[in-house]
Amino acid sequence: MYDNLGMPPGVRQPPNSLPNPFGNGLYGASSGFIRGGLGAYGEKILGSSSEYVQSNISRYFTDAQYYFQVNDHYVKNKLKVVLFPFLHRGHWTRITEPVGGRLSYKPPIYDINAPDLYIPLMAFGTYVVLAGLSLGLHGIFSPEAVNWLFIKGIVGWSFQVSLLKMTLFSLGSGEAPLLDIVAYAGYTFTGLSLSILGKIFWGFAYYFMFPWTSLSMGVFLVKTMKRVLFAEVRSYDSSKHHYMLLFIAMAQFPLLIWLGNISLNWLF
């Protein structure tokens, strides 16, 4: 009988080969070198990628808590600036402070010109509630109608953000934080909610309040975008800047007409 290796019983199997005195050492050295090299290279790639992502996030986004540092005094004065920009006698520039060796903007609670998200979100919610109330007074209220008005408001807000962002890009200044632009665009619903509220109490009040709120929003955005452009743009073309700012102001009228039309139709 033979064992599993095919040798007769009692016969020892000769060793296969002599040990290689360099094999384990070379293998260990080469594997360690490969692991160390790949590890360092991978760490370099991941580190640079992480720094790139973080730098771009901080470049286009900022801490969301910054936009909710508000109080009653700020909200009251900010609403005055948005609804009555003609009466704003102060400057439109934002206040800076040194933080970590570089300049940073002060939060809204300390700067009336700083953007916030508290007022836009509250105004947007007010717009949806007042629009639903208006539908109820006309006997066409339904949960589906409120959902439609919510989507309509989101579309209008997104259009305003795209309009402001494309304007900055076209003028050579597209580095403003995205949440800043979202906040500026969201102020549209403050005057819009006021117009709808006037329409609920007196139908003809809408036709008086709507032109005022549209014009006020246009002036507010022009003043704000001019400040952003002067602060960040690399080259200045007076005629091009003026035309684009005028376009922003004129675009508020059809946008607010569309958002202010409380109906279940897509257009009017």
Side-chain angles (χ1 to χ4, degrees):
M1 297 295 294
Y2 291 83
D3 56 14
N4 292 335
L5 297 178
M7 298 294 293
V11 179
R12 294 182 178 180
Q13 181 181 4
N16 292 332
S17 60
L18 295 176
N20 185 357
F22 303 100
N24 294 333
L26 291 176
Y27 175 77
S30 61
S31 61
F33 175 77
I34 293 174
R35 287 197 301 267
L38 290 178
Y41 185 70
E43 184 178 356
K44 182 179 180 181
I45 293 177
L46 293 177
S48 60
S49 300
S50 177
E51 293 177 0
Y52 176 80
V53 172
Q54 292 179 0
S55 63
N56 279 272
I57 289 178
S58 61
R59 183 179 179 182
Y60 294 102
F61 296 90
T62 50
D63 186 9
Q65 295 180 355
Y66 168 89
Y67 298 91
F68 293 94
Q69 299 182 35
V70 300
N71 56 13
D72 295 339
H73 180 72
Y74 167 82
V75 172
K76 180 179 65 175
N77 290 330
K78 190 68 173 186
L79 289 176
K80 290 180 181 178
V81 173
V82 174
L83 297 175
F84 306 98
F86 308 99
L87 304 180
H88 183 54
R89 300 303 180 185
H91 60 81
W92 289 84
T93 57
R94 295 173 64 178
I95 303 175
T96 58
E97 60 180 349
V99 176
R102 62 189 183 93
L103 292 178
S104 179
Y105 291 117
K106 284 191 174 184
I109 193 173
Y110 301 115
D111 184 8
I112 189 63
N113 294 318
D116 73 282
L117 287 174
Y118 175 79
I119 293 177
L121 289 176
M122 292 297 103
F124 178 77
T126 304
Y127 162 75
V128 176
V129 171
L130 291 177
L133 178 60
S134 178
L135 291 178
L137 294 176
H138 289 84
I140 54 176
F141 175 83
S142 66
E144 292 77 12
V146 176
N147 292 335
W148 159 247
L149 292 173
F150 178 85
I151 296 174
K152 185 177 182 179
I154 292 294
V155 171
W157 197 343
S158 302
F159 174 80
Q160 187 84 295
V161 171
S162 302
L163 174 64
L164 299 179
K165 199 65 177 176
M166 287 189 300
T167 301
L168 293 179
F169 272 118
S170 64
L171 297 176
S173 177
E175 300 181 1
L178 179 59
L179 291 182
D180 281 13
I181 304 301
V182 173
Y184 293 140
Y187 291 127
T188 303
F189 295 97
T190 56
L192 184 62
S193 298
L194 189 62
S195 299
I196 295 175
L197 181 62
K199 186 178 182 179
I200 291 176
F201 284 101
W202 184 41
F204 291 100
Y206 176 80
Y207 300 100
F208 293 100
M209 300 181 66
F210 166 76
W212 173 263
T213 55
S214 299
L215 181 61
S216 297
M217 190 62 202
V219 173
F220 171 78
L221 288 179
V222 166
K223 296 285 188 180
T224 302
M225 290 296 103
K226 184 182 292 187
R227 181 199 68 208
V228 174
L229 291 173
F230 284 162
E232 298 182 0
V233 75
R234 301 298 182 265
S235 60
Y236 181 76
D237 183 355
S238 177
S239 60
K240 186 177 181 180
H241 281 65
H242 290 165
Y243 282 126
M244 293 304 297
L245 293 175
L246 180 61
F247 176 73
I248 291 177
M250 297 302 297
Q252 302 310 304
F253 288 89
L255 177 61
L256 267 69
I257 289 176
W258 181 65
L259 290 174
N261 180 42
I262 309 303
S263 66
L264 301 182
N265 297 324
W266 177 253
L267 292 178
F268 298 101

